[in-house]
Amino acid sequence: IIFEALDQCQISAAGLIVTLLTSQEYENHWFITDLFACSGEIFQAFSQHPASQHQFILNLIGVAESAYLQELQCLMSEDSGWHFKASCTSTKQLEDFNLKEMVQKIEVNAPKWWSLLGTLLA
C-alpha cells in the first residue's frame, strides 16, 4: 500500500524522506521524531546492505568531513580571535597566547572535531 501511494504521488522513498527532513511544515511531525530516534538503526541497515554498502560509507564520510571542515573553518576565521598572520604577529601576541584557553575554545566551538581528535589520539 505504501509503495502504491508513493507511485500515485510520483515520489520516491528518498524524495519522501528528503521532503520530510527539509520542509518546515513537517519539522515537529512524529515521522521526523521517529526517523531521528531510529537513525542509528537506519544507518546500520544502510551500511550492511550489499547493494549500497560502499556508496553509503562514502556518503557518510563526506557528511562527516563537511561537518569537521565547517567547524575548523569557523575556528580559523578572523572573527574567531585565533586567526593570525605570522608576518604580522607581535611579540606581545605570542606572549599572551594561552594554549589552555585555545583548547577550551576548540572543545566548545568545534565539539565534533574535538571528539574526532580525542578518538584519534586515544
Side-chain angles (χ1 to χ4, degrees):
I1 295 175
I2 294 171
F3 295 128
E4 290 174 11
L6 289 172
D7 283 340
Q8 287 177 354
C9 294
Q10 296 180 338
I11 188 169
S12 66
L16 174 63
I17 292 170
V18 169
T19 300
L20 286 171
L21 294 173
T22 58
S23 296
Q24 286 184 340
E25 64 186 288
Y26 302 116
E27 193 172 294
N28 296 315
H29 196 282
W30 73 270
F31 283 168
I32 300 301
T33 306
D34 185 58
L35 279 173
F36 286 127
C38 298
S39 61
E41 186 179 339
I42 294 167
F43 286 166
Q44 190 68 29
F46 267 116
S47 71
Q48 292 176 353
H49 193 281
S52 66
Q53 186 177 26
H54 180 71
Q55 188 60 46
F56 176 74
I57 298 298
L58 291 177
N59 290 340
L60 198 57
I61 289 169
V63 168
E65 286 175 347
S66 293
Y68 297 136
L69 286 174
Q70 184 178 14
E71 286 186 347
L72 289 173
Q73 288 170 344
C74 287
L75 285 174
M76 294 184 291
S77 73
E78 289 186 34
D79 295 337
S80 72
W82 294 101
H83 180 85
F84 73 96
K85 294 181 182 177
S87 61
C88 302
T89 303
S90 69
T91 305
K92 174 107 171 89
Q93 286 174 308
L94 292 175
E95 289 171 351
D96 290 343
F97 175 76
N98 184 326
L99 185 59
K100 287 183 182 180
E101 184 182 328
M102 183 178 186
V103 166
Q104 289 171 343
K105 187 164 184 171
I106 292 171
E107 191 173 3
V108 168
N109 295 314
K112 295 176 195 84
W113 171 249
W114 186 254
S115 176
L116 175 65
L117 192 58
T119 299
L120 293 174
L121 294 175

